[in-house]
Amino acid sequence: MSDVLVLVDKADGGVKKSTSELLTLARRLGTPVAVWVGDGCDDAALALLGEFGATAVLVADVPVENPVAPVADALAAAVAATGAVAVLVPSTADGKETAARLALKIGSGVITDAVDVQADAGTIVATQSVFGGSTVVHSTVTTGIPVITVRGNSVAPEAAPASCEKRDLAVTLSPSSTLARITGTTVAAKGGRPELTEAAIVVSGGRGVGGAEGFGVIEALADSLGAAVGASRAATDAGWYPHQYQVGQTGKTVSPQLYIANGISGAIQHRAGMQTSKTIVVVNKDPEAPIFELADYGVVGDLFTVVPQLTNEIAKRAD
Ligand SMILES: Cc1cc2nc3c(=O)[nH]c(=O)nc-3n(C[C@H](O)[C@H](O)[C@H](O)COP(=O)(O)OP(=O)(O)OC[C@H]3O[C@@H](n4cnc5c(N)ncnc54)[C@H](O)[C@@H]3O)c2cc1C
């Protein structure tokens, strides 16, 4: 089987869950080979990559003073070294820019924000959700090998242990890759909750929450489930919750296993950011609210009555 490259996504020195998701998808297409850019590829990382089926990790120990350009150089070198038939990259802002730069370098087509990837009679087909989520598109690239960015939580990671060997990858940085470098970083203050775009469960609040203090019930439910908190634009524009938690067309795109929408009407711009969620639960006092069209489970009621009861029930089960 041909190699399929997976760019390892890292945070705080560890491997992010998105990498195990990409390895799970890569196994459908060929033999997964991970690409690690920078230092820190230790035994724990090797074991984790092997657990999800990586047969090798190519380590490009180049200085990562710019989060994108050297990574694209490293992936291009990995494509040349392996003759890979596809490259999978996480659909983060950096990942999408990396994918675009790589595609240009190797003369290939790029597909962004895929929510699924399959091999169909030898052709690699990506599924995207477009036009605010109203249309599902199946895409292939017609030139070169597919470079595909995949949204977080598009697939549940499945272990398939393989013996993973570490190999050095020689990379010559292109002159443009060293033109920009990071001179300082400020880590965003984050609480104990998971990152919004990576969380398996997202609990969101909208205008129905009624004010900043109303988000207390949303946060309590989120914490009982180990979930991230999201918000509609109505809530963030009103200053009730920070903008970085906005879900939708002009906010974050999430695709968790479970999305709980509270006091959100379901405008097309909000749906664009959450409708690929696997299970959608809606709490809204208006039975005609459009968001019920998306709901797997719906509760017609006042969120201030329903949500605390839900939180209590979950707390009882956790005891
Ligand atoms: C270019 C553009 C981009 C946009 N981008 C985004 C985006 O990224 N994300 C986004 O969310 N929006 C976006 N919007 C705004 C979007 O059109 C809607 O205005 C917004 O999503 C509405 O937010 P909402 O559902 O919280 O509020 P509303 O539409 O006002 O709905 C509130 C809901 O809460 C319910 N409710 C009220 N009180 C309670 C209660 N006590 N208990 C239970 N239910 C209650 C009501 O029945 C209602 O259904 C965008 C708009 C434009 C034009």
Side-chain angles (χ1 to χ4, degrees), residues 252-275:
K252 301 266 171 64
T253 300
V254 300
S255 198
Q257 297 296 319
L258 173 63
Y259 187 88
I260 307 180
N262 304 285
I264 294 175
S265 62
I268 185 81
Q269 296 90 353
H270 187 80
R271 294 158 74 133
M274 47 65 72
Q275 64 184 356

Side-chain angles (χ1 to χ4, degrees), residues 108-304:
S108 284
V110 61
I111 297 172
T112 55
D113 282 330
V115 293
D116 197 13
V117 184
Q118 298 282 355
D120 183 8
T123 302
I124 293 173
V125 181
T127 304
Q128 293 159 292
S129 173
V130 301
F131 298 133
S134 61
T135 306
V136 171
V137 177
H138 301 291
S139 313
T140 60
V141 306
T142 53
T143 304
I145 63 166
V147 178
I148 303 173
T149 77
V150 182
R151 281 187 187 165
N153 288 307
S154 292
V155 67
E158 283 166 23
S163 155
C164 183
E165 61 162 341
K166 194 165 155 180
R167 287 190 238 147
D168 289 336
L169 178 69
V171 181
T172 307
L173 294 183
S174 57
S176 60
S177 296
T178 52
L179 290 179
R181 62 191 179 86
I182 299 168
T183 55
T185 54
T186 305
V187 179
K190 88 173 176 189
R193 300 192 186 102
E195 210 278 314
L196 180 56
T197 55
E198 287 175 12
I201 306 176
V202 174
V203 180
S204 281
R207 204 194 308 269
V209 166
E213 64 290 347
F215 267 86
V217 294
I218 305 297
E219 290 183 332
L221 175 57
D223 291 341
S224 73
L225 290 164
V229 173
S232 73
R233 180 159 156 182
T236 58
D237 277 358
W240 300 346
Y241 218 68
H243 276 287
Q244 75 222 54
Y245 297 102
Q246 183 186 313
V247 171
Q249 184 182 316
T250 44
K252 301 266 171 64
T253 300
V254 300
S255 198
Q257 297 296 319
L258 173 63
Y259 187 88
I260 307 180
N262 304 285
I264 294 175
S265 62
I268 185 81
Q269 296 90 353
H270 187 80
R271 294 158 74 133
M274 47 65 72
Q275 64 184 356
T276 54
S277 305
K278 307 296 174 295
T279 300
I280 297 173
V281 175
V282 167
V283 179
N284 196 303
K285 67 181 184 185
D286 175 8
E288 303 297 324
I291 191 128
F292 279 116
E293 292 163 13
L294 289 182
D296 296 290
Y297 301 94
V299 182
V300 178
D302 187 320
L303 71 91
F304 292 102

